[in-house]
Amino acid sequence: MQEWNALIDKFTKVTDRLGMPIDTDIFETVVALNALGITTSQSCGGHIDERGFLLPWVDVEMRNPTSRELHKQYIIVSDEVDKLQREVKGLREKQVDLSVIEEAQTRVNEKYEERHLLNIQIRMQQCAMRDRLVDCLSRFYEGRVVSFDRRLILYRLGHSRTRMGNQGAHDFYLCAPLDIQQQKLAEYQEEMRDFTRFLKHIYFSQQTETLLP
């Protein structure tokens, strides 16, 4: 319980770039995921207000020295790709000798390949943690029957983040009447709360097993 309380204290102090704390409706989900070694980077509890119709989600992302270094390399190589592409475009506009253009394009292709390999390495950094989350979701939905749109799913954002949210968050109800949107928001938040309770059960069961002689 001491470790759990320490995590609550830690994430109570976490804010976004605007200084806003973690949404109350998603706070325990964030704590439970991190307690199980599934690190989060962003989250939203879901809302219908002047910002629009948003449903609950949590982004998970492994951040360690290796992944941070790979990210830095990826940005550097991406900048080099852009620079080389501009050079090739300039050469074509000047209608220089074709061999010069082909040589420049070869350098672009080499950098493309370097960036592609970095992208794969970055994604591989996420595998172990993502697998843990997949395992938790698989166990959660064993024998659990809910509507298709309510189920929690995972999808990749960029090359490092994985987002967990309800299937119906993919604009299923973006144009629906307000009363339907409110109903779906309540259903999806409840699904997230149920999954959070499941995660907490796993965590505290593990803690109990650790304490047993």
Side-chain angles (χ1 to χ4, degrees):
M1 195 65 184
Q2 185 176 356
E3 291 182 8
W4 177 263
N5 289 334
L7 282 170
I8 289 178
D9 183 61
K10 172 184 175 180
F11 286 100
T12 298
K13 300 171 184 175
V14 171
T15 60
D16 63 15
R17 293 176 182 176
L18 299 176
M20 300 297 292
I22 297 171
D23 287 355
T24 302
D25 290 319
I26 206 73
F27 182 83
E28 271 213 333
T29 309
V30 170
V31 173
L33 287 168
N34 282 275
L36 292 172
I38 303 169
T39 56
T40 60
S41 56
Q42 298 181 65
S43 62
C44 175
H47 53 78
I48 304 174
D49 55 24
E50 68 280 356
R51 293 172 292 173
F53 175 48
L54 289 178
L55 294 159
W57 53 264
V58 180
D59 288 352
V60 300
E61 181 179 7
M62 174 57 70
R63 289 171 291 183
N64 55 34
T66 300
S67 64
R68 284 192 286 270
E69 182 58 34
L70 288 170
H71 272 287
K72 290 179 183 178
Q73 292 179 34
Y74 185 89
I75 292 171
I76 291 171
V77 173
S78 293
D79 289 342
E80 292 174 349
V81 167
D82 292 340
K83 180 181 178 182
L84 288 171
Q85 284 180 320
R86 289 193 297 271
E87 289 181 6
V88 171
K89 181 180 179 182
L91 292 172
R92 292 185 188 279
E93 290 173 348
K94 294 177 182 177
Q95 297 183 333
V96 301
D97 188 88
L98 183 60
S99 62
V100 176
I101 295 176
E102 289 177 343
E103 182 181 344
Q105 186 60 54
T106 297
R107 293 198 298 273
V108 172
N109 295 340
E110 289 172 350
K111 283 297 174 181
Y112 263 127
E113 180 63 20
E114 185 179 351
R115 186 172 68 176
H116 174 67
L117 293 175
L118 283 168
N119 180 45
I120 292 175
Q121 292 177 42
I122 291 170
R123 289 166 58 189
M124 289 177 66
Q125 287 286 311
Q126 310 300 316
C127 287
M129 184 185 65
R130 191 166 54 237
D131 287 347
R132 285 199 294 273
L133 183 51
V134 168
D135 178 64
C136 289
L137 284 168
S138 298
R139 292 163 62 185
F140 176 62
Y141 281 110
E142 286 179 3
R144 181 180 178 84
V145 180
V146 294
S147 62
F148 169 78
D149 66 301
R150 178 168 169 157
R151 287 178 68 96
L152 293 169
I153 63 168
L154 303 178
Y155 52 99
R156 185 161 58 89
L157 293 177
H159 45 241
S160 61
R161 282 188 295 151
T162 298
R163 177 161 293 183
M164 180 179 70
N166 308 86
Q167 177 74 66
H170 288 275
D171 287 349
F172 280 23
Y173 301 98
L174 185 61
C175 298
L178 179 59
D179 61 329
I180 299 297
Q181 291 183 342
Q182 291 171 331
Q183 173 193 333
K184 289 302 175 180
L185 175 58
E187 288 180 9
Y188 294 176
Q189 288 175 328
E190 183 180 10
E191 189 72 2
M192 192 71 80
R193 284 193 296 270
D194 287 347
F195 182 55
T196 301
R197 283 190 284 270
F198 179 78
L199 294 176
K200 289 175 66 176
H201 173 73
I202 294 175
Y203 173 75
F204 286 111
S205 295
Q206 291 177 350
Q207 295 297 106
T208 301
E209 291 174 3
T210 302
L211 294 173
L212 289 176

